[in-house]
């Protein structure tokens, strides 16, 4: 109990500590003003602090992951579910933070441009100085995201949850627009911010409708009043529907996904990876809390089931079709992320169908959560490979991947592993999670088909329409193979754009290799078993609370 | 001796090859490195051959195979890989898989031997070694998930063998090879998943999905798939996956390209073992799990088999490229395997099994010959070089033996397989047998013509006609290591032609047991006379 409390307090506190240390001179009044210390003024300092912060937070939450649950202040609840997701978020943030070391490089020996320099040289020097200057801002924002996300997983009050989501979101808006000097960075930030804030506003309006209806925003109270409601109260239904818009934007489900490809391609790749994994997982946590806990009636069809199922199919198909035609690898990964959101929404739709037993629902939610967890590995890994290309100013067109296999076989091999895992090829972790989701859908729905029907047409008519969600996932996965394999083909077959090997970026490479190795280990063997057990246990207690 | 030999022969090659691929700094110079990795790979593969041979003389050789139900031999205690979805490391061998396992362990060292002096750096031989592990893994694994993983893993080394060390069009060929076989195996995966979702609840296995990938469970529970239409559909999905690998017309087009561009060792393994994976998987999974669908689709099988047989042979006649001709003859012979299965006779299935084995030693011989021809005469055009008997007596002797075996000369291994399949075909379908028999005449025609054009016909008995590509060099005979590899293959061709019962006994007993236990009932219910 005490340990749980510490972990909750620890994470924000570490975040706070981060605020001060880069400007150490502030903390001790005597040292205010004057010249700064060499050590604390080192432009690499914020990166180190952020790495250490996330590492400590990640390790401590990993250690505490199976502690008992505990309530804090009535609005926060640290249980297995929230601990699992905090660990996931912190792991993703740790990887992003490590990877950004080379994406936004800090140079200790930056020089001030003088008059003798040409325009180009002085521009370059200035951009180095800018990068040095804004190190602190970047990592503060990153830690803010971490704070918002970890608090969000623990929220048991709708209001608290939305506030935490906003804390994380506002930071990501800035992070997306962080490269404000480049046109695409500014465009990405503006689009993402406008669409995101409209979605949040709609969500908050929906929340206020819910408050009008039930008089409380506590999840348990909402759940009880939902279950005791006669028929469907329009306030409640509209409220939930509007909140779905906000969360749909977070998970980048069609038709709220339109900003996502622009945001992903304009942001620095580690940030895009963060949006595609942790930010999306945050949206799913909200969906779990709101949809699964509040509004799933016992043994009957939930209000939103049909809508969500249709959204899911549209999302995955749209995402895959758009990805097929993308020439920018980051946009392609963005659309593939949209498609993955579709797969997961399809699985959640089945939970709301009312024909799945609690055990089956647990398996399905476990599958989705497991998918979110391993997505951090291979989706983020793929974005980090693009980040590696970005260190030399490339990575915005598929040609930049040409011949990567010859320039750097190990990075290219990792990238190939990531795309195969995204496509769901056994024995990688992407296959395991996708199989679990399809299994959940099929085992719930296929039994509804008439067993005696002789030919396939009559069987197909008799089976529950949910079965076709599984078929849609399978067909979409087959479709997605084309663009995933295309990446592999251009990496190994096309002539390289330059003979030089990639820029040295040791910590970024380390992050990529970590992702690659874990992608394999989480697909087969004891590691996957451990993770799956963990997820299953957490979801089991979550669903039975 | 070794408690779990099948696991050893699967994993040791893969682990050793990974070590050799990743840690290239074991020798100072590039040449020393290549030598060391070559020697280690060869040593490991010979050790594997020793193990499988010992298995044959020890346990497998003395088994009564007719009792099909007694299942697999040399199985291990299942080791959990992903118990949550029911994946276990479970291996075993029976009369269907064991000849293939032995063949793999035999061909790997021979293909290394044939390319012994090839200046191909330190990665070539380890990749072949990895190929060995993956191929054996396909044949021994009794878990569908592991089976599929190995099935895909075989693509990786072969892909690199073609892409890095192939001929001029290697990029195109390796891409085509990869796309074809990968797409087909994804289609097959869908079929496997449908089977998976219908496996019954296994209690106390710790599986959260409640299903199992265990091959025997999946096969026995295929009855639980509710509608016959769905069963047929799954069977067809599996057929697409396996037929592409075999390859059968109309999905054979990757094979000639891959063969022509692949290095000699790659072609040998591709033709010798990889094509058999298709036939093996078809018998092991599709036929075992869906006997009724198999019986219902006999006409389709006959059509596919006949189309491959006739089309392959017909195209062969028009080929001027030696490797391409041998590749199409492989398509043609694989058609015979489908025909053998379609007969639904113990003799026919045993003939198909023996065809898998016999073609597995003859076609590597042919590709070794073609590779040596390319190596020493720098061309693959039939007819551009005539009268090689004079310059390369050994090469022409091997060429002749291989072609004779491939066209089905009695007392050579190919004959046994062909004649049993044809007899069984006659027993089942009567005079229809004339069709495949006449096709064998075409086979004889193209082989004999090219034999005459290449080995003998020469205007000048002392000189022959030299290809331009030789640039006036004096043609040589093959080197010792090529010769040694070919002699072994040739000797085995003769050995299994004269004494086919070494493997024939277990194959025929297994086939009759297999037929009795799985197919007879299906045939009765479908109204086909056994």
């Amino acid at each position: 109990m005490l340990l749980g409390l510490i972990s909750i307090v620890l994470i924000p506190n570490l975040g706070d500590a981060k605020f001060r240390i880069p400007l150490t001179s502030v903390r001790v009044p005597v040292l205010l003003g004057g010249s700064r210390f060499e050590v604390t003024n080192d432009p690499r300092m914020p990166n180190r602090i952020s790495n250490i912060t996330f590492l400590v937070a990640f390790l401590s939450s990993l250690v505490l992951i199976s502690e008992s649950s505990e309530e804090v202040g009535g609005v926060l609840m640290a249980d297995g579910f929230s601990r699992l997701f905090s660990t996931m978020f912190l792991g993703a943030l740790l990887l992003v933070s490590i990877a950004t070391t080379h994406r936004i490089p800090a140079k200790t020996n930056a020089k001030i441009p003088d008059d003798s320099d040409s325009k180009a040289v002085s521009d370059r020097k200035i951009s180095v100085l800018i990068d040095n200057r804004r190190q602190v801002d970047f990592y503060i924002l990153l830690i803010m995201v971490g704070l918002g996300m970890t608090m969000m997983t623990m929220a048991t009050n709708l209001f608290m949850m939305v506030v935490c989501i906003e804390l994380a979101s506002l930071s990501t808006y800035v992070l997306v627009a962080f490269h404000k000097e480049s046109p695409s960075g500014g465009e990405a930030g503006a689009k993402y911010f406008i669409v995101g804030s409209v979605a949040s506003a709609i969500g908050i309006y929906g929340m206020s409708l819910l408050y009008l209806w039930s008089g409380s925003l506590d999840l348990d109270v909402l759940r009880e009043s939902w279950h005791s409601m006669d028929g469907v109260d329009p306030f409640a239904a509209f409220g939930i529907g509007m909140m779905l818009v906000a969360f749909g934007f977070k998970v980048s489900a069609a038709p709220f996904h339109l900003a996502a490809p622009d945001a992903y391609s304009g942001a620095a790749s580690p940030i895009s990876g963060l949006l595609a994994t942790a930010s999306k997982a945050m949206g799913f946590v909200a969906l779990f809390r709101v949809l699964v806990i509040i509004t799933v009636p016992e043994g009957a069809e939930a209000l939103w089931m049909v809508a969500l199922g249709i959204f899911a199919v549209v999302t995955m198909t749209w995402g895959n079709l758009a990805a097929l035609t993308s020439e920018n690898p980051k946009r392609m990964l963005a659309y593939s992320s949209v498609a993955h959101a579709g797969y997961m929404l399809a699985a959640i739709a089945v939970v709301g169908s009312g024909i799945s037993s609690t055990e089956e629902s647990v398996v399905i939610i476990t599958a989705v959560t497991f998918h979110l967890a391993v997505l951090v590995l291979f989706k983020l890994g793929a974005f980090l490979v693009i980040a590696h290309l970005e260190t030399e100013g490339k990575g915005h067109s598929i040609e930049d991947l040409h011949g990567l296999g010859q320039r750097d076989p190990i990075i290219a091999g990792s990238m190939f592993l990531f795309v195969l895992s995204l496509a769901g090829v056994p024995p990688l972790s992407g296959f395991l999670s996708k199989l679990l989701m399809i299994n959940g859908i099929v085992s719930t729905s296929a039994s509804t088909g008439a067993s005696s029907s002789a030919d396939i047409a009559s069987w197909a008519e008799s089976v529950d329409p949910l079965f076709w969600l599984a078929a849609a996932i399978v067909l979409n996965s087959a479709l997605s193979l084309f663009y995933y394999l295309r990446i592999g083909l251009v990496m190994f077959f096309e002539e390289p754009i330059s003979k030089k090997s990639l820029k040295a970026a040791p910590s970024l490479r380390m992050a990529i290799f970590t992702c690659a190795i874990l992608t394999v280990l989480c697909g087969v063997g004891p590691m996957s078993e451990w993770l799956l057990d963990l997820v299953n246990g957490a979801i089991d207690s979550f669903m039975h609370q | 001796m070794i408690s779990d030999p099948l696991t050893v022969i699967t994993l040791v090659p893969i682990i050793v090859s990974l070590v050799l691929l990743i840690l290239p700094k074991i020798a100072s110079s590039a040449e020393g490195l290549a030598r060391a990795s070559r020697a280690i790979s060869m040593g490991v593969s010979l050790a594997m051959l020793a193990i499988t041979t010992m298995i044959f003389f020890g346990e497998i050789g003395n088994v009564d195979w007719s009792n099909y139900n007694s299942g697999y031999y040399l199985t291990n205690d299942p080791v959990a890989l992903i118990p949550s979805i029911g994946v276990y490391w479970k291996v075993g061998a029976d009369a269907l898989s064991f000849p293939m396992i032995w063949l793999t362990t035999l061909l790997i060292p021979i293909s290394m031997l044939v390319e012994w002096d090839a200046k191909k750096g330190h990665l070539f031989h380890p990749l072949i070694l990895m190929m060995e592990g993956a191929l054996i893994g396909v044949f021994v694994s009794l878990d569908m998930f592991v089976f599929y993983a190995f099935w895909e893993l075989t693509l990786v080394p072969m892909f690199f063998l073609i892409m890095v060390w192939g001929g001029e069009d290697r990029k195109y060929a390796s891409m085509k090879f990869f796309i074809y076989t990968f797409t087909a195996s994804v289609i097959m995966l869908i079929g496997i998943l449908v089977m998976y979702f219908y496996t019954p609840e296994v209690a106390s296995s710790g599986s959260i999905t409640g299903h199992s990938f265990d091959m025997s469970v999946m096969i026995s529970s295929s009855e639980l798939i509710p509608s016959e239409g769905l069963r047929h559909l799954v069977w067809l999905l599996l057929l697409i996956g396996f037929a592409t690998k075999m390859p059968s017309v109309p999905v054979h087009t990757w094979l000639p390209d891959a063969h022509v561009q692949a290095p000699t060792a790659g072609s040998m393994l591709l033709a010798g073992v990889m094509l058999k994976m298709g036939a093996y998987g078809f018998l092991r999974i599709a036929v075992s799990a869906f006997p009724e669908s198999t019986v219902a689709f006999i006409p389709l099988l006959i059509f596919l088999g006949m189309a491959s047989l006739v089309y392959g042979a017909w195209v062969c006649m028009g080929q001027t490229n030696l490797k391409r001709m041998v590749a199409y003859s492989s398509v043609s012979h694989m058609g015979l395997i489908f025909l053998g299965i379609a007969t639904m006779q113990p003799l026919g299935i045993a003939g198909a099994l023996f065809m898998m084995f016999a073609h597995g030693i003859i076609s590597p011989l042919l590709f070794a010959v073609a590779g040596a021809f390319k190596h020493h005469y720098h061309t693959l055009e039939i007819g551009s070089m005539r009268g090689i008997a004079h310059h390369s007596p050994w090469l022409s002797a091997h060429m002749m033996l291989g072609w004779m075996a491939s066209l089905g000369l009695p007392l050579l291994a190919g004959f046994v397989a062909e004649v049993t399949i044809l007899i069984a075909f006659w027993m089942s379908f009567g005079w229809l047998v004339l069709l495949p028999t006449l096709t064998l005449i075409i086979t004889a025609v193209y082989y004999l013509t090219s034999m005459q054009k290449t080995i003998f016909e020469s205007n000048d008995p002392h000189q022959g006609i030299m290809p331009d590509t030789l640039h006036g060099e004096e043609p040589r005979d093959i080197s010792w290591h090529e010769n040694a590899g070919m002699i072994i293959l040739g000797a085995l061709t003769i050995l299994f032609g004269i004494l086919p019962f070494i493997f024939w006994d277990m194959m025929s007993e297994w086939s009759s047991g297999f037929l009795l236990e799985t197919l007879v009932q299906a045939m009765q219910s479908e109204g086909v006379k056994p």
Side-chain angles (χ1 to χ4, degrees):
Chain A
M1 180 169 153
L2 196 68
L3 285 175
L5 197 75
I6 290 172
S7 81
I8 294 161
V9 179
L10 196 66
I11 295 157
N13 270 353
L14 281 172
D16 287 347
K18 177 60 186 20
F19 272 112
R20 291 187 206 127
I21 292 178
L23 310 168
T24 304
S25 39
V26 180
R27 204 170 54 173
V28 186
V30 179
L31 296 174
L32 191 67
S35 61
R36 292 171 181 163
F37 292 121
E38 273 293 295
V39 183
T40 52
N41 197 30
D42 187 332
R44 288 174 301 187
M45 202 60 188
N47 174 252
R48 285 178 195 153
I49 293 167
S50 140
N51 285 351
I52 292 167
T53 309
F54 284 123
L55 189 65
V56 171
F58 176 69
L59 289 180
S60 57
S61 61
L62 200 62
V63 169
L64 296 173
I65 200 157
S66 47
E67 287 291 310
S68 60
S69 56
E70 153 190 14
E71 200 169 342
V72 186
V75 289
L76 293 181
M77 169 95 156
D79 53 10
F81 179 77
S82 63
R83 288 203 173 91
L84 178 74
F85 273 98
S86 337
T87 313
M88 197 195 291
F89 293 149
L90 290 169
L93 284 161
L94 174 64
L95 286 170
V96 169
S97 169
I98 292 174
T100 316
T101 316
H102 300 284
R103 179 63 187 89
I104 303 177
K107 299 217 172 55
T108 41
N109 53 355
K111 291 191 186 66
I112 298 163
D114 53 39
D115 299 338
S116 63
D117 290 333
S118 66
K119 178 89 171 60
V121 173
S122 85
D123 276 357
R124 199 174 334 121
K125 281 182 173 172
I126 287 174
S127 81
V128 168
L129 280 176
I130 290 177
D131 272 348
N132 276 356
R133 187 70 190 79
R134 62 187 180 182
Q135 292 279 317
V136 184
D137 315 349
F138 186 89
Y139 293 106
I140 286 176
L141 286 168
L142 210 55
I143 291 188
M144 293 276 277
V145 173
L147 181 63
M149 283 180 174
T150 45
M151 298 276 281
M152 183 269 160
T153 61
M154 292 183 280
T156 56
N157 184 301
L158 210 49
F159 182 74
M160 186 68 194
M161 192 160 87
V162 170
V163 168
C164 295
I165 290 180
E166 285 310 304
L167 176 61
S169 303
L170 284 172
S171 314
T172 53
Y173 299 145
V174 184
L175 284 174
V176 166
F178 200 72
H179 284 278
K180 56 179 184 286
E181 67 276 10
S182 77
S184 63
E187 182 199 345
K191 271 191 185 164
Y192 194 59
F193 173 64
I194 292 169
V195 181
S197 47
V198 169
S200 307
I202 293 174
I204 292 171
Y205 184 53
M207 190 177 77
S208 61
L209 286 179
L210 281 182
Y211 185 73
L212 271 179
W213 163 67
S214 101
S216 165
L217 284 176
D218 192 80
L219 289 175
D220 287 335
V221 178
L222 280 173
R223 174 188 165 84
E224 272 161 33
S225 34
W226 183 277
H227 283 292
S228 58
M229 160 172 86
D230 290 336
V232 177
D233 192 302
F235 269 143
F238 274 109
I240 291 287
M242 285 176 165
M243 298 213 72
L244 269 187
V245 174
F247 301 147
F249 170 76
K250 273 274 153 266
V251 303
S252 58
F256 315 115
H257 71 284
L258 290 168
D262 290 318
Y264 288 21
S265 61
S269 280
I271 297 303
S272 319
L274 187 69
L275 292 183
T277 56
S279 182
K280 173 177 297 229
M282 187 168 75
F284 273 102
V285 172
L287 281 178
F288 291 160
R289 292 260 188 219
V290 172
L291 291 185
V292 180
I293 291 303
I294 298 184
T295 63
V296 172
E298 307 281 336
E301 193 174 297
L303 196 58
W304 38 265
M305 194 280 284
V306 177
L308 202 64
I310 292 170
F311 272 154
V313 175
V314 171
T315 303
M316 63 178 98
T317 315
W318 192 337
N320 278 323
L321 288 179
L324 272 179
T325 56
S326 292
E327 283 298 320
N328 178 343
K330 282 167 87 175
R331 289 186 86 86
M332 197 212 80
L333 285 172
Y335 279 119
S336 109
S337 155
V338 172
H340 277 264
Y343 304 150
M344 290 184 275
L345 286 179
I348 295 181
V350 176
V351 175
S353 67
I355 58 170
S356 68
S357 64
T358 315
E359 284 72 38
E360 282 166 343
S361 302
V362 169
V363 171
I364 292 171
I365 302 287
T366 302
V368 175
T369 313
F370 184 74
H371 190 73
L372 287 168
V374 290
L375 204 58
V376 170
L377 301 172
F378 47 80
K379 189 82 183 201
L380 191 55
F383 272 113
L384 292 187
V385 172
I386 308 279
H388 207 321
L389 291 174
E390 280 179 350
T391 55
E392 55 179 27
K394 298 280 173 48
H396 287 281
S397 102
I398 194 98
E399 276 86 39
D400 297 340
L401 282 165
H402 281 191
L404 192 63
Q406 287 163 48
R407 299 175 65 197
D408 196 331
I410 300 179
I411 292 290
S414 312
M415 183 68 175
F416 195 50
L417 208 65
F418 296 142
V419 289
L420 284 185
S421 190
L422 281 170
V425 174
L428 302 170
S429 45
F431 171 76
L432 181 56
S433 57
K434 213 179 260 182
L435 175 77
L436 286 168
M437 284 197 284
I438 298 176
N439 172 70
I441 301 175
V442 170
S443 60
T444 304
S445 60
S447 52
T448 56
S451 56
S452 58
S453 44
D455 63 300
I456 192 147
S458 65
W459 179 81
E461 273 172 32
S462 66
V463 75
D464 192 276
L466 282 173
F467 177 79
W468 301 110
L469 284 177
I473 294 183
V474 171
L475 289 178
N476 267 291
S477 301
L479 188 66
S480 68
L481 263 178
F482 287 102
Y483 60 84
Y484 289 132
L485 282 185
R486 179 160 168 238
I487 288 198
L489 292 177
V490 301
M491 280 194 310
F492 289 106
F493 285 111
E494 298 294 335
E495 285 303 310
I497 39 170
S498 74
K499 291 281 175 213
K500 280 187 292 187
S501 52
L502 290 172
K503 271 190 182 176
S507 61
L508 180 55
R509 287 176 89 86
M510 197 182 73
I512 293 174
F513 296 154
T514 314
C515 287
I517 292 166
L518 288 178
T519 301
V520 178
L521 286 184
C522 288
V524 67
M527 172 109 182
S528 66
E529 200 50 35
W530 170 79
L531 186 60
L532 209 50
D533 275 350
L534 194 72
V535 173
N536 196 22
I539 299 299
D540 200 40
S541 62
F542 172 71
M543 295 289 286
H544 286 102
Q545 63 182 229
Chain B
M1 181 192 56
I2 306 168
S3 61
D4 189 5
L6 294 180
T7 306
V8 171
I9 60 173
T10 311
L11 294 186
V12 167
I14 293 183
I15 294 168
V16 172
S17 69
L18 283 179
V19 170
L20 288 178
L21 291 174
I22 293 171
L23 302 172
K25 295 281 182 285
I26 42 176
S28 48
S29 69
E31 191 165 336
L33 184 62
R35 278 204 177 142
S37 78
R38 185 177 73 180
I40 296 173
S41 309
M42 187 60 151
V44 172
S45 66
L46 283 177
M48 298 304 124
L49 177 61
I51 293 178
T52 49
T53 313
M54 254 188 292
I55 293 174
F56 177 70
F57 284 115
E59 198 167 334
I60 293 275
N62 306 320
V63 167
D64 172 25
W65 294 101
S66 52
N67 191 0
Y68 171 65
N69 237 0
S70 54
Y72 310 102
Y73 300 91
L74 294 168
T75 48
N76 63 339
D77 293 332
V79 179
L81 288 180
I82 321 173
S84 305
I85 59 169
V87 175
Y88 291 86
W89 175 261
K90 202 175 157 203
V91 292
D94 64 1
L96 174 57
S97 55
F98 184 75
M100 290 294 111
I101 298 169
W102 189 76
L103 183 67
T104 313
T105 53
L106 172 79
L107 284 183
I108 296 284
I110 291 181
S111 61
M112 285 184 191
L113 188 65
V114 167
E115 297 246 23
W116 189 247
D117 263 353
K119 300 270 181 290
K120 287 178 174 163
H122 68 280
L123 298 175
F124 187 76
H125 292 90
L127 273 176
I128 296 183
L129 197 61
M130 181 191 271
M131 191 79 197
E132 169 165 30
L135 287 169
I136 295 176
V138 168
F139 292 125
V140 298
S141 56
L142 296 182
D143 185 284
M144 208 72 99
F145 184 92
V146 180
F147 169 84
Y148 188 80
F150 278 120
W151 180 278
E152 295 289 8
L153 183 62
T154 56
L155 290 184
V156 177
M158 184 51 79
F159 172 75
F160 282 109
L161 284 178
I162 298 177
M163 191 184 82
V164 181
W165 292 282
E168 280 159 15
D169 266 344
R170 56 182 183 270
K171 272 187 188 170
Y172 171 74
S174 54
M175 206 188 290
K176 194 168 175 182
F177 164 74
F178 190 82
I179 290 175
Y180 260 74
T181 48
F182 194 80
T183 313
S185 55
V186 168
I187 294 173
M188 179 178 97
L189 178 66
I190 297 176
I192 292 179
L193 287 185
V194 176
M195 289 170 76
Y196 172 71
F197 290 133
Y198 283 102
T199 52
E201 206 79 27
V202 200
S204 78
S205 62
S207 160
I208 62 169
T209 58
H211 299 300
S212 166
F213 270 110
D214 189 317
M215 207 181 265
S216 55
V217 173
M218 284 178 96
I219 286 170
S220 61
S221 62
S222 58
E223 297 292 313
L224 296 176
I225 296 181
S227 84
E228 195 182 7
L230 189 59
R231 284 202 292 274
H232 285 343
L233 183 70
V234 173
W235 187 87
L236 283 174
L237 290 174
L238 293 174
L239 179 73
I240 291 173
F242 296 132
T244 308
K245 203 73 164 189
M246 261 178 76
S248 158
V249 171
V251 279
H252 65 286
T253 51
W254 62 272
L255 183 81
D257 289 309
H259 266 317
V260 172
Q261 302 304 330
T264 309
S267 294
M268 288 170 69
L269 293 177
L270 196 59
V273 195
M274 266 186 102
L275 305 190
K276 314 304 183 301
M277 281 163 54
Y280 167 81
F282 182 67
L283 276 170
R284 170 72 89 216
I285 297 167
V287 180
S288 308
F290 303 102
E292 285 169 14
S293 310
T294 315
V295 174
F297 280 110
I298 282 180
L300 176 67
L301 284 181
I302 294 181
F303 174 75
L304 287 179
M306 207 64 102
S308 310
L309 183 66
V310 176
Y311 177 79
W314 194 258
V315 173
C316 269
M317 289 212 293
Q319 292 305 320
T320 56
N321 182 309
L322 196 58
K323 270 190 160 180
R324 201 168 266 275
M325 184 185 87
V326 181
Y328 274 112
S329 87
S330 289
V331 174
S332 173
H333 283 105
M334 291 298 109
L336 274 175
I337 293 184
F338 267 154
L339 291 185
I341 297 171
T343 59
M344 294 291 150
Q345 301 276 357
L347 196 60
I349 294 180
L353 293 189
F354 202 78
M355 183 52 125
M356 283 161 68
F357 181 76
H359 186 258
I361 47 179
I362 296 169
S363 65
L365 176 60
L366 294 173
F367 279 110
V369 165
F373 188 70
K374 166 93 179 163
H375 188 205
H376 294 290
Y377 291 91
H378 307 293
T379 179
L380 281 171
E381 288 297 302
I382 299 170
S384 67
M385 169 68 217
R386 301 189 177 204
I388 64 167
H390 179 72
H391 298 285
S392 315
W394 275 108
L395 179 62
S396 41
H398 291 309
M399 191 183 265
M400 193 144 167
L401 177 66
W403 285 354
M404 285 299 168
S406 188
L407 66 80
L409 196 72
L411 288 186
L412 296 177
F415 173 73
V416 182
E418 282 181 14
V419 84
T420 44
I421 291 176
L422 291 179
I423 292 173
F425 203 77
W426 183 75
M427 284 154 69
S428 290
F429 306 109
W431 290 110
L432 269 179
V433 74
L434 279 177
L435 264 158
T437 317
L438 288 175
T439 316
L440 294 181
I441 296 179
I442 306 183
T443 315
V445 168
Y446 65 77
Y447 273 133
L448 291 175
T449 324
S450 35
M451 195 185 295
Q452 192 199 4
K453 277 185 186 167
T454 318
I455 302 181
F456 301 119
E457 186 180 282
S458 158
N459 296 334
D460 178 354
H462 299 292
Q463 197 57 43
I465 298 173
M466 294 292 157
D468 301 337
T469 45
L470 212 51
H471 301 303
E473 268 176 65
E474 189 61 23
R476 292 153 299 166
D477 204 353
I478 46 181
S479 45
W480 68 269
H481 51 87
E482 287 169 332
N483 205 357
M486 290 183 211
I487 285 177
I488 298 172
L489 287 173
L492 285 172
T493 311
I494 298 171
L495 178 72
F496 281 99
I498 301 173
L499 307 171
F501 52 80
I502 298 174
F503 279 133
W504 174 262
D505 281 359
M506 66 160 89
M507 285 171 177
S508 71
E509 282 171 18
W510 183 87
S511 323
S512 37
F514 179 68
L515 205 70
L516 276 178
E517 305 227 347
T518 57
L519 289 171
V520 164
Q521 213 184 351
M523 283 192 275
Q524 278 161 355
S525 67
E526 294 280 331
V528 179
K529 244 187 0 191

